[in-house]
Amino acid sequence: MTVRRDFKEPARCRPDLVIGRDELFTAARDQLTRGGSVLLHGPAGIGKSTVLRALAADYGEAARTVLRCSATESESHLPFLALADLFGLVLDEISDKLPVAQRTALESALTGRGESTLQRDGLALRLAVLSALRALAAAGPVLLVADDLQWLDSASAELLGFAARRLGDTPVQLLCAVRTEEQEYDRHLRASPPDTLAVRLNPLSRAQVSALLDHRGYTDLPRSTMREIHRTSGGNPLFALELGRALGESPTPPRPGEPLPVPTSLRALVLSRLDMLSDEARRTLLVASAGARPTLALLHAAGRENAEAETAQAAALGLLATEPEGPAVRFAHPLISAALYAEAPAQERRAAHAALSTAASDPIERARNLALATTGTDPEVAARLAEAAALARDRGAPSVAASLGLLAARHTPPDGAPAPDDRRLQAAEDAITAGEVDLARDIAREVLTRATVPAERIRAWEVVIEAAGQSLGEVDAVFPQALADAGDDPRLLALVHYRLAWRKLIVEGDFAEAREEAAHTADLAARGDDRRTELMALSFQASTETLMGHPNAPTTIKRALREPQDPYVACHHNGVGAARFRWLLMSDQLPEARSTITALLREVRRRGMVESEVHFQRFLAETELRSGHCGRALDLARESLRLARDSGIGLGASAMLASLAEASGGDVDRALALAREAAGKAEEDGDQMYVSRALAALGHARLVAGDAAGAVGSLRRVRELEQGLGITDPARGRWQGDLAEALVRVGEPGEAQDVIDVTREHALRLGRESVLAVLDRAEALVRAARGDHEAALSRLTSVQDRLAKLGYGLEEARAAFALAMLRTGRPGPTSYDEASRLFRRCRALPWLRQVDAAIAAAAPETVAVPPQTALPSDALEGLASMERQVAALVMEGATNREIAARLFISVKTVEATLTRVYRKLGIRSRVDIVRLAAGRHAK
C-alpha cells in the first residue's frame, strides 16, 4: 500500500471532528464504504480539512493505494503540480504498464523535462492519467484525496476531471474538499465521478462552539462571551478558535457593549479588500458596524450622506450582503463587522457611536451608543442607561438589560445614587434571568470584595447561590457567611433561609426538613413585609408537600394563590404557577395541566426568563408524554435539552425527561445514554432529588430495551432512595408499575406484588387514579405468572378502559399489548392489531417494535408433540409453582419465547427455570418433559 507521509492523522483532528460533525462524517464514511466518492464543501475555516483528514485516516486502511494532493493559492499557477503530488511516488510502479506515448507524456509532465503542455500532449496526458489510475486499481482499491480544490492548477484539474468522468466501475474513489460560498460547488461536482456525494459543512451551533473551545482549553470564558464568540464567528470553527485564543491572551476582557477583540490573523483574512474602499466608504461601514441594526435611513441620520453609493461599493467587494428587497445593511459575515470595528482608532469609534446616539430611534440603542461615545463617569449618561436597562427588562431582554446595567455602573460616580454596586447587582440579577450564570456570579463576587451594607451583601450572596444551580453543595461555605451578614433582620434572614430550604432538599435529600425550612421562611418574610419571598417560600412548600404526598399540599397552594400576587413569582419555575401545575399533573388533570404550563411557557418567553423556559418546556414535554403524544413530547424534550446544553441550566433534568421521551417515541439506545448522563450529572451535582428521577428513567429505558434484570437493578435503587427521601406520592415518578413488571419478567412475582401493595396504599390515600390503573395492570401480570389467566385477562380489559378515560394514551396501549400477549396461544382472539393501532396513534416507535417482535415470537414452531399431554399425577411433584407452569407450557409445545410472553417473564428466566426442572427431574431436555407427560420415561 502506498501512502504519503502527510496522510498520517494528527492526534487532535478526530476529537475536533466529533464536535458537531458526527452525522455528516457518518454519511461520508458510508458513501466511501459503498464504493462512492465524496466532495466536502463550505466556506473558509468551516472545518473541511479536518473532516477530510479524519475520513482519510478512518477509511484509508481499506484502500491499497492512497494518493494525496493539497494545493495552495501561491502555487496554483504552476502547471501539473497537483499531478506531481499525486503520482510522483508511484510513477516507477506504473510507468512500464502504460503505452509508450502515454508514459512519455506523463513523465514529461511530472518531471518538467520536455516542456509537456496540454495543448501539445493533451490527449496522451489525459489517457495517461486514466491509464495510471486503472493500473493502480488493478492491484487493489485506490483512494485519491485532494484538499483545497479551488487552488488546483488548471492543467491538473482538467486531467483529473477527464479521468474521474471515465473511471466507471474501476475501484478508484475521490475524497475532495473545496472552498465554496453558498452552493457554488457544481463545477467541481461535474469534474467528479458520477456517484459523488456532495457534503456541505454548515456552521456549528453555540453548544458545539462551546464544546470546541472547551476541548482546546478555553474553559474559563463566561457564557455571555461564548455566545458573543458564536455570533461573531458565525459558527465557523476556525474563526471561533481564533477569537477564543485572542480572548485568552488578552489581559483585559472587552467592556460591556463592545465587540470582541479580533486577532490580526482574522483581520487579514476578512479585511483583505478593505483597502479598495474609499476613506468615506470605510467611515460609513464603521458606523454600520457600530450599530445594532444598521439601515440606510439610520446611516443617513448619522450623517453619512452618500450611504447608498458607499454601501453599494462595499457590496461589490463582497464586504456587505446584497439585499435589494430590504432596508437592512448586512455584513457578509459578522466577523467583517467585528474586524472593521477593531481596526478603527478609538477616537473614530467614539465618533461613530456619538452619531448613532442621536440618530437611532430606539431609546435602548441611543443609550448604548451614548455610553460607548462617553469616557469617564457621567450621572446623566448612567441614568439614561439604567432607564434603558429597565426598558429592556420589560421587553423580555434580560441579557441586554444586564449589559446596559454594567455600562450604567461604569458611568456612575462612586458617590452616585443609586451606587455603582447597586447597578452591578441589578445587572447580575438580570444575567441570572437570562441564564448567564457565569457573568452573574463574577459580578456578585466582585461586589462582595468591597460591600459592607448587609442588604447589599445578602443580595450578592443570593446571586452566588443562584448561580450554583443544582450544585448547591459547592457553595456550602456561603451559608454561614450569609446568615452572619443577615443578623436579626427577618427580611434578610428570609432570603437566606429560602436558599437553605433548597439545600435541605437538593443536597441532603430531606423533604421533611426542606418543608419545615420553607414554612419558616414564609413566616420570616411575612414579618419582614417581603411578599415576593413569602410567595416563593409558600410555592416551594406546596411543591415539596405535593411530591411528599403530604395532606397539606392543597391548603398550601391556596395560601400561595392569595392576593396580593407578584408577577415574577407567578411565572417563575419555582413559583406558584409551577406548584399548581405539578399538583394538576399528579392529580391526573392533564388538560388543565397542559393549558397551565402552556400559558406559563408563553409568559417566560416573553420575559426572556431562560431558566424558567428550560424547565417549562420540559414540563410541557412531560404532560404530552403522559397524554400519549410521544412524537410531540419527543420534539419538546429534545428542544428543552438543546436549550439546557446551550445555557448550562437544568441539564440533568432535561436529559432525564429526554430519556423518557426517547424510550417512548424515539431511540432506545439514546434513551439509555441520556438516562446515564442524567444520573451522572445528578451524582456530580450532589442532587439527591434528581438522582432518583434519573435512575427511574434508566430503569424505564432498560425495560423498553428488554433488559428486565437491568431495569430491576435501577428501580430497586429508586425505591430505596425515595423511601430515604420521604417521598410517598407514587405520581411523582410513576416508576412502581415498571418495577413490578420487570420483577415479574425475572421471575419474582412475590416482590412484584409487595411493590404493588405498598404503592396502592399511598395511591388510594391520595386519589391517584392513573397510578392505581397502572398498578392493576402490573398485578394482572403477577396473576398471569401465577397461572390465574382468566383473572389477569379480566383485570387488563378493565385497566385499558380506565386508562383510556383518564387520557393516558401510552399506558392504555401498554395495557392492550399485555392483553394481546396474554391471549397468545389460548383459545379466542390473539390479534395484536389493537395494540399496534394504539401505539401508532401515540407514535410510540419503540413499543411498535416490541409488538412486531411479539408477533414474530408467536409464529408456531414445528415441534413433534405426542397427542397425549395429560400429566401423570406424580410426574412433576417437587417442582415450585413457576417451574410447574413452565413445564406445563413445554408439554403444550410452547417455545421459550412463547412461555416468556405467556408468563410475562424474560427468556433468560425461562431458560434458568428449565435448567432447574431438568435437574430436579433427572432429565436432559424439553423433549424428556414431553415424554414424561406422555408416560414414556427417558432411559
Side-chain angles (χ1 to χ4, degrees), residues 389-401:
L391 181 59
R393 199 175 303 119
D394 290 341
R395 288 181 181 178
S399 179
V400 175

Side-chain angles (χ1 to χ4, degrees), residues 471 570 868 885 903:
S471 306
Q868 179 186 353
Q885 290 184 72
L903 299 181

Side-chain angles (χ1 to χ4, degrees), residues 470 614 641 644-646 648-656 677-678 681:
Q470 301 295 104
V614 171
L641 183 59
R645 292 197 195 285
D646 277 357
I649 295 170
L651 181 55
S654 293
M656 176 274 299
E677 177 186 351
K681 186 71 172 66

Side-chain angles (χ1 to χ4, degrees), residues 600-865:
L600 287 169
L601 183 58
R602 188 185 306 117
E603 178 63 14
V604 297
R605 282 175 173 164
R606 187 187 71 80
R607 288 170 170 263
M609 299 169 66
V610 174
E611 184 173 7
S612 293
E613 181 182 355
V614 171
H615 291 295
F616 288 161
Q617 188 131 332
R618 187 179 80 252
F619 292 168
L620 181 56
E622 184 176 2
T623 307
E624 297 295 354
L625 195 58
R626 298 271 178 90
S627 303
H629 304 152
C630 298
R632 170 72 172 149
L634 185 60
D635 291 342
L636 287 165
R638 285 174 174 172
E639 176 62 20
S640 174
L641 183 59
R642 184 200 64 76
L643 187 58
R645 292 197 195 285
D646 277 357
S647 64
I649 295 170
L651 181 55
S654 293
M656 176 274 299
L657 200 281
S659 171
L660 291 173
E662 291 284 355
S664 299
D667 181 84
V668 179
D669 288 337
R670 180 161 171 76
L672 290 165
L674 285 167
R676 293 187 183 102
E677 177 186 351
K681 186 71 172 66
E683 295 275 13
E684 177 188 327
D685 290 342
D687 185 346
Q688 297 299 309
M689 185 169 64
Y690 265 103
V691 168
S692 66
R693 294 295 306 272
L695 288 173
L698 180 59
H700 179 74
R702 283 173 165 167
L703 182 66
V704 176
D707 179 11
V712 167
S714 296
L715 296 174
R716 275 176 175 162
R717 190 177 169 206
V718 175
R719 191 183 191 193
E720 293 169 2
L721 284 170
E722 294 206 351
Q723 285 174 345
L725 290 168
I727 298 173
T728 60
D729 193 335
R732 186 237 182 188
R734 296 176 182 264
W735 48 266
Q736 296 85 355
D738 283 347
L739 175 55
E741 182 174 337
L743 285 166
V744 171
R745 290 190 188 185
V746 299
E748 297 287 351
E751 185 181 345
Q753 189 63 55
D754 178 65
V755 171
I756 292 166
D757 291 342
V758 171
T759 307
R760 181 178 283 134
E761 181 181 349
H762 294 300
L764 284 168
R765 174 175 60 84
L766 297 165
R768 304 302 192 223
E769 291 298 327
S770 64
V771 174
L772 289 168
V774 169
L775 291 174
D776 284 350
R777 184 184 68 205
E779 189 168 46
L781 306 185
V782 173
R783 293 189 178 188
R786 289 173 170 171
D788 193 353
H789 292 276
E790 295 307 320
L793 287 168
S794 175
R795 178 66 61 91
L796 283 172
T797 303
S798 170
V799 164
Q800 184 180 341
D801 291 341
R802 287 157 59 196
L803 288 168
K805 290 176 182 176
L806 289 168
Y808 284 77
L810 183 58
E811 299 294 355
E812 175 195 357
R814 287 180 65 179
F817 185 29
L819 195 58
M821 291 181 71
L822 192 58
R823 286 173 173 159
T824 300
R826 297 178 61 81
T830 60
S831 173
Y832 286 87
D833 290 349
E834 174 72 356
S836 293
R837 180 185 70 81
L838 292 173
F839 282 134
R840 279 196 302 273
R841 185 182 70 182
C842 295
R843 220 186 87 180
L845 303 182
W847 289 101
L848 277 169
R849 286 190 282 271
Q850 285 202 33
V851 173
D852 291 341
I855 293 172
E861 283 188 3
T862 304
V863 178
V865 180

